[in-house]
Amino acid sequence: MSAARAIGLMLGLAADGVLGNPRHRPPVTAFRRLATLGSGAGQGGESAAALRAGGGVAVGMPGESTVTLAAGAEAVGAPAGELAASMSARAAVTGFGLAGAVVAVGLVAERAARDRPVVQAVVTAVTTWAVVGAAGLATQGTELARDLEEGRLEPARGTLSELDPRVADGLGMIALSRASVETLAENTSEVVVAPLLWGALAGVPGLLASRTISVLARGSAGHWLVARIDELVHLVPTRVAAALTVLAAPVVGGSAGGAWRAWRRDTIAHPSPNAGRVEAAFAGALEIRVGGRTVYPQGVVELPVLGVGRNPDAGHVTRAVELSRVVGWLAGATSVTVALLVGARRRRRRK
């Protein structure tokens, strides 16, 4: 069983790399559309768009410390706080139903393949291929780096918006480069390391649950229960991703020591138990600074500065893509090892 799971994870990760951009794969597209419905985008998309469009966001204005939702709320005829809470609650309820259904399907598939190693390897491989986003992340990261290198800021803002919930409108070259490195680091943990690790520990249900919770958390921003579950699910993967970043840094000409120091030093001030861990490690590895003022549709957040050194540029985004790839390979090897160890422990318990 453990060997079949490990083989399935390897095959699925290899398929993700060989078959390229997941935006063109029907199984992946179907999964993401279903997850998007659960996240609330399918229910309150127009309201969310109105909130964002009318939110009074003024990126980079001196002294600006908050983002008001009042204008967006007026566009849909409701007070800002009441509207945001309503959208968040609806998205959370729908999303929890979807998450439960997805995990149930995974449990059925895992149980059906329990005594059939070949079937289990195939099912695990297909699921891994469907939910892991390493290839898509590398493709979009490369697009970001190319657009920034050529000074095409508007396409870069569009690509960034596909990867990150922050407001990209008005971001200049330095801010876009910083945001690109941050989102590459965060997504490496979220769409590569976390599903692989949970797949190694819990098989197909772990793969599906990890990705569904991630999508749900982004679509239900502000809902406390969703946020707590998302934090719990990513508590270990974010730290594994940061550790793998330290190991991967020299492969891309980065600083392992810088990655370690930034991870251990700078994230102490971060308000989240997870966010910033991998971002700090990436910043340290590339010897740059990230963090600071970040604008989201819900408001402005003043985040701690992570890393030391210069502000990032397009070249650092390219190196961040390379670092993400190496971390993904190491995560694949780690997941295979964990799957084998979990299987060996189970066999010892049965004896």
Side-chain angles (χ1 to χ4, degrees):
M1 179 176 177
S2 60
R5 181 179 294 173
I7 291 171
L9 289 168
M10 270 194 311
L11 291 175
L13 187 59
D16 176 69
V18 171
L19 297 177
N21 192 342
R23 286 180 284 188
H24 303 309
R25 302 180 207 157
V28 181
T29 303
F31 173 80
R32 289 184 175 177
R33 284 177 180 171
L34 186 63
T36 299
L37 288 174
S39 72
Q43 305 170 52
E46 292 182 4
S47 298
L51 282 170
R52 177 166 177 171
V57 177
V59 181
M61 287 183 64
E64 183 75 15
S65 60
T66 59
V67 173
T68 175
L69 298 178
E74 290 174 4
V76 291
E82 181 180 325
L83 176 62
S86 174
M87 288 169 57
S88 178
R90 289 201 305 270
V93 170
T94 305
F96 280 132
L98 170 66
V102 167
V103 173
V105 170
L107 286 169
V108 171
E110 188 80 6
R111 181 174 292 275
R114 175 175 296 177
D115 299 319
R116 304 160 71 184
V118 173
V119 175
Q120 186 184 41
V122 171
V123 170
T124 303
V126 171
T127 307
T128 302
W129 172 63
V131 305
V132 169
L137 183 60
T139 298
Q140 290 174 290
T142 301
E143 290 174 3
L144 271 171
R146 183 176 60 248
D147 288 337
L148 290 172
E149 188 71 37
E150 297 174 359
R152 298 186 298 179
L153 301 188
E154 198 56 42
R157 294 183 188 116
T159 302
L160 178 65
S161 296
E162 293 179 19
L163 291 168
D164 195 282
R166 79 183 69 201
V167 176
D169 301 338
L171 294 184
M173 178 65 72
I174 293 176
L176 279 170
S177 298
R178 172 178 72 85
S180 297
V181 173
E182 290 173 358
T183 196
L184 283 166
E186 183 181 356
N187 277 282
T188 298
S189 174
E190 187 173 292
V191 307
V192 183
V193 178
L196 286 174
L197 188 60
W198 279 109
L201 292 170
V204 172
L207 284 161
L208 293 173
S210 172
R211 285 296 286 123
T212 305
I213 289 296
S214 293
V215 174
L216 174 59
R218 291 202 176 195
S220 306
H223 192 280
W224 68 271
L225 182 56
V226 175
R228 299 295 83 78
I229 293 175
D230 183 62
E231 286 177 357
L232 182 63
V233 166
H234 290 94
L235 197 66
V236 173
T238 52
R239 286 149 179 82
V240 171
L244 295 178
T245 301
V246 174
L247 294 177
V251 180
V252 298
S255 170
W260 170 259
R261 287 189 294 272
W263 170 27
R264 305 308 300 168
R265 177 192 64 224
D266 297 338
T267 54
I268 294 174
H270 206 286
S272 168
N274 296 329
R277 268 60 185 173
V278 187
E279 293 177 16
F282 265 60
L286 300 175
E287 300 177 291
I288 57 174
R289 290 177 295 160
V290 299
R293 185 176 186 273
T294 305
V295 181
Y296 294 98
Q298 301 87 357
V300 173
V301 180
E302 294 291 346
L303 298 173
V305 174
L306 309 174
V308 294
R310 57 179 291 189
N311 287 319
D313 56 27
H316 292 109
V317 178
T318 298
R319 292 179 63 202
V321 174
E322 296 171 355
L323 184 57
S324 175
R325 282 197 180 103
V326 178
V327 171
W329 297 336
L330 292 175
T334 301
S335 67
V336 168
T337 302
V338 170
L340 293 174
L341 290 174
V342 169
R345 184 178 182 182
R346 287 176 179 169
R347 284 193 299 271
R348 284 197 300 270
R349 285 182 175 180
R350 291 172 184 171
K351 291 181 180 179

